[in-house]
Amino acid sequence: ARSTQGTFDVTVGPLMLLWREAAHRQTIPTRKALRKVRGMVGSEKIHLLPQNTVVRKPGMAIDFGGIGKGYALDHLERQLKQQGIQHALLDFGQSSLWALGAPPDAPGWRILLQHSNGTPVGVLTLRDQALSISASMGQVFEIKGRRYGHVLDPRTGQPLQRDLLACVIAPTATQAEALSKALLILGEHEGIALLQRFPGVEG
């Protein structure tokens, strides 16, 4: 959360619940409700103690959905290496990928990037890198005919409403996933400037 200027925060769970309930009721959350729930968001409110103990404020919830696939991919990549496998493309639903080594007939794995509507964006060649692709409107909350993206800005509590696609290449899939969400929220200028602070990261 600190390294992404608060744009990726695993304590966003209460906000996700608030917007899911709002979509179910077909009513936009009130300012008062947003203010109350935002008081339960913020990694700085979590305290890690010895013996794997976590202390959090009442009502707080941790949501690892934003990095879950990346975390699993990183574990798979390590297991494959331990088994002596040097060439593999791990693909979790075309949004999280790990390119281990290269195929036998090419210098790297060629990946076709597509927007959520299927429109081609470009081709990447990856070797020993992870890729995360996040779309602001990949999933939506619909309230009274208006679409709100499922990616929420933890700083404001608001969902994204611009239709954006963020692609991040990083040394680990977990990092790529966290940074692709940050890139969506910060936008193309501030987001790319953030990515440039991380070694081996491109977006």
Side-chain angles (χ1 to χ4, degrees):
R2 281 193 300 268
S3 62
T4 63
Q5 301 169 15
T7 55
F8 181 82
D9 195 314
V10 296
T11 65
V12 77
L15 280 172
M16 295 295 293
L17 181 60
L18 177 71
W19 280 95
R20 281 191 202 107
E21 289 175 351
H24 180 72
R25 293 192 315 268
Q26 288 295 291
T27 306
I28 294 172
T30 64
R31 287 184 183 178
K32 182 179 178 181
L34 265 175
R35 190 166 51 249
K36 179 181 177 185
V37 171
R38 281 181 57 213
M40 297 179 228
V41 174
S43 291
E44 71 282 355
K45 298 179 178 80
I46 296 280
H47 300 285
L48 305 177
L49 303 179
Q51 300 176 342
N52 298 322
T53 303
V54 178
V55 177
R56 59 182 173 82
K57 287 175 62 175
M60 289 187 77
I62 296 174
D63 184 342
F64 290 113
I67 56 170
K69 288 192 289 185
Y71 183 78
L73 276 174
D74 288 336
H75 278 276
L76 285 173
E77 184 264 346
R78 282 193 292 274
Q79 288 178 9
L80 290 178
K81 279 185 173 176
Q82 288 168 3
Q83 295 173 27
I85 296 170
Q86 299 176 353
H87 310 280
L89 179 64
L90 308 174
D91 181 350
F92 275 19
Q94 298 180 341
S95 62
S96 297
L97 298 95
W98 229 116
L100 177 60
D105 58 347
W109 299 95
R110 287 172 55 81
I111 310 296
L112 174 66
L113 296 180
Q114 294 180 303
H115 211 289
S116 52
N117 63 8
T119 305
V121 176
V123 176
L124 284 175
T125 301
L126 301 178
R127 182 180 183 128
D128 295 319
Q129 295 167 300
L131 169 68
S132 174
I133 303 167
S134 295
S136 59
M137 305 299 271
Q139 300 173 39
V140 294
F141 304 110
E142 191 164 324
I143 302 174
K144 294 183 178 176
R146 190 166 181 181
R147 298 168 76 237
Y148 299 87
H150 74 293
V151 177
L152 305 177
D153 186 340
R155 304 167 304 175
T156 65
Q158 296 292 333
L160 298 184
Q161 295 185 53
R162 279 204 303 159
D163 192 6
L164 300 171
L165 183 74
C167 304
V168 173
I169 300 168
T172 71
T174 306
Q175 185 183 37
E177 288 225 314
L179 291 177
S180 68
K181 280 41 166 214
L183 179 54
L184 276 182
I185 292 168
L186 289 170
E188 42 276 62
H189 303 295
E190 196 179 347
I192 293 295
L194 173 75
L195 298 186
Q196 290 172 346
R197 301 177 195 168
F198 297 91
V201 171
E202 295 179 69

